[in-house]
Amino acid sequence: MVAKATAQFQGTSQYIASDGLKLAVNAACTLEKPLLVKGEPGTGKTLLAEQVAASLGLKLITWHIKSTTKAQQGLYEYDAVSRLRDSQLGDSRVYDIQHYIKPGKLWEAFTSTERCVLLIDEIDKADIEFPNDLLHELDKMSFYVYETNQTIHAKQRPIVIITSNNEKELPTAFLRRCFFHYIEFPDEAMMRKIVAVHFPQISQNLLSQALQVFYKLRDIPNLKKAPSTSELIDWLALILADDLPEQVLQQQSALPPMYGALIKNEQDLQLLERLAQMSRR
């Protein structure tokens, strides 16, 4: 049965969300399905969960996924080694197995007395079986603890937001259980709104020059890593901090000032240096 949404996410003063993204968040909440968000690194996927929680006045629980993360860690971990050591030392705690159960992020979210937002961040970093190992838990909002013979049920169904950088394909069975949204890279109009959140007093002429350089850089063929929104914000912060004149951005060069904020690997730097040499000939 589809639940009625009690609140609608409309973005915040700190997060400019497109109409499509707002629709996706609210649809996932209505359907009570996890929201799977994909997009380029630096497009605000992780920040989305923080702002959804802030907007709706909910607690945020974050589970950052690494290449070594196992699904079981999100449920709980049983410290059998510590229990064995305590038994050898004659510690009385050994008779209470609860002392050796460490709740994970899903356990924390499920047992929260108030509804919360659960962020599973960068799920594609883990092993390919990781998403499948969470199918039942995310679908039924419950899991079984074998050591204590108990079932943990969600007291309040959390809003689950899952991010992916598209580093690997996710299993079809997992995708069926999610509401999906791809965050398109912002066009210039949207980017101006995003920049205004961070630098409300920025000169519009300076911003126009900076965006021209930024998008021109992104359009260069064979660039291994195009600069992202977060890197644009860092670059603008440096430009404003150094009070660079607008004329510097107007120079016809493939290497922009403070390029280290935008270019993040030597292959792209070498490519830009070659283009800069060609432009000077």
Side-chain angles (χ1 to χ4, degrees):
M1 183 177 180
V2 176
K4 292 183 179 180
T6 57
Q8 294 283 302
F9 175 67
Q10 298 297 332
T12 70
S13 60
Q14 299 299 311
Y15 190 91
I16 305 300
S18 67
D19 291 340
L21 181 55
K22 289 184 282 189
L23 176 63
V25 171
N26 294 321
C29 291
T30 299
L31 295 173
E32 295 188 335
K33 287 180 176 290
L35 173 62
L36 174 61
V37 183
K38 291 186 179 183
E40 288 185 30
T43 50
K45 299 185 297 295
T46 300
L47 186 59
L48 170 66
E50 299 173 6
Q51 293 303 310
V52 168
S55 172
L56 303 180
L58 303 177
K59 176 184 177 182
L60 175 66
I61 298 174
T62 302
W63 185 15
H64 293 294
I65 307 303
K66 302 177 181 179
S67 60
T68 56
T69 303
K70 302 300 181 185
Q72 180 64 33
Q73 294 172 306
L75 308 181
Y76 68 94
E77 294 182 88
Y78 170 51
D79 192 351
V81 175
S82 292
R83 194 181 188 200
L84 176 61
R85 184 189 63 237
D86 288 348
S87 68
Q88 293 171 338
L89 296 174
D91 194 318
S92 60
R93 291 182 302 177
V94 74
Y95 298 106
D96 186 359
I97 198 171
Q98 291 281 5
H99 284 296
Y100 308 97
I101 301 292
K102 179 183 178 182
K105 295 297 184 180
L106 268 71
W107 186 318
E108 182 183 351
F110 287 4
T111 56
S112 175
T113 55
E114 297 182 355
R115 197 180 193 196
C116 63
V117 174
L118 172 63
L119 169 63
I120 304 178
D121 199 25
E122 298 189 332
I123 194 172
D124 52 327
K125 285 189 178 298
D127 183 84
I128 189 62
E129 289 303 318
F130 179 91
N132 279 338
D133 291 342
L134 291 176
L135 286 180
H136 173 83
E137 289 76 11
L138 293 177
D139 196 25
K140 303 300 183 183
M141 287 288 149
S142 67
F143 61 88
Y144 186 71
V145 183
Y146 292 93
E147 290 78 5
T148 59
N149 193 31
Q150 66 179 132
T151 300
I152 304 298
H153 295 282
K155 294 181 179 179
Q156 298 282 341
R157 193 177 187 98
I159 297 173
V160 181
I161 297 178
I162 303 170
T163 71
S164 169
N165 287 327
N166 237 1
E167 292 183 5
K168 64 169 68 80
E169 287 295 323
L170 298 174
T172 302
F174 177 78
L175 295 175
R176 282 202 308 267
R177 289 166 169 81
C178 298
F179 191 94
F180 171 76
H181 182 77
Y182 184 85
I183 298 182
E184 297 285 351
F185 196 83
D187 59 16
E188 184 172 335
M190 176 65 77
M191 192 65 83
R192 285 179 177 274
K193 295 178 182 179
I194 294 172
V195 171
V197 169
H198 298 271
F199 310 109
Q201 304 302 322
I202 192 171
S203 160
Q204 290 304 301
N205 190 43
L206 173 63
L207 178 56
S208 295
Q209 294 292 339
L211 289 179
Q212 183 178 350
V213 172
F214 176 74
Y215 282 105
K216 183 179 179 181
L217 188 59
R218 281 184 56 87
D219 288 339
I220 293 177
N222 302 319
L223 206 62
K224 187 173 182 180
K225 185 201 174 301
S228 68
T229 304
S230 61
E231 288 157 346
L232 170 64
I233 299 303
D234 289 343
W235 185 52
L236 288 173
L238 289 174
I239 290 174
L240 294 173
D242 278 17
D243 197 21
L244 291 180
E246 296 173 10
Q247 292 77 5
V248 173
L249 296 177
Q250 296 173 353
Q251 296 175 0
Q252 297 299 314
S253 172
L255 277 175
M258 308 287 189
Y259 63 81
L262 300 173
I263 304 302
K264 297 303 175 73
N265 63 70
E266 62 277 15
Q267 295 97 321
D268 287 346
L269 178 57
Q270 291 167 2
L271 173 61
L272 293 179
E273 287 174 339
R274 288 196 299 271
L275 292 174
Q277 290 173 357
M278 292 172 61
S279 67
R280 288 194 294 266
R281 290 175 184 173

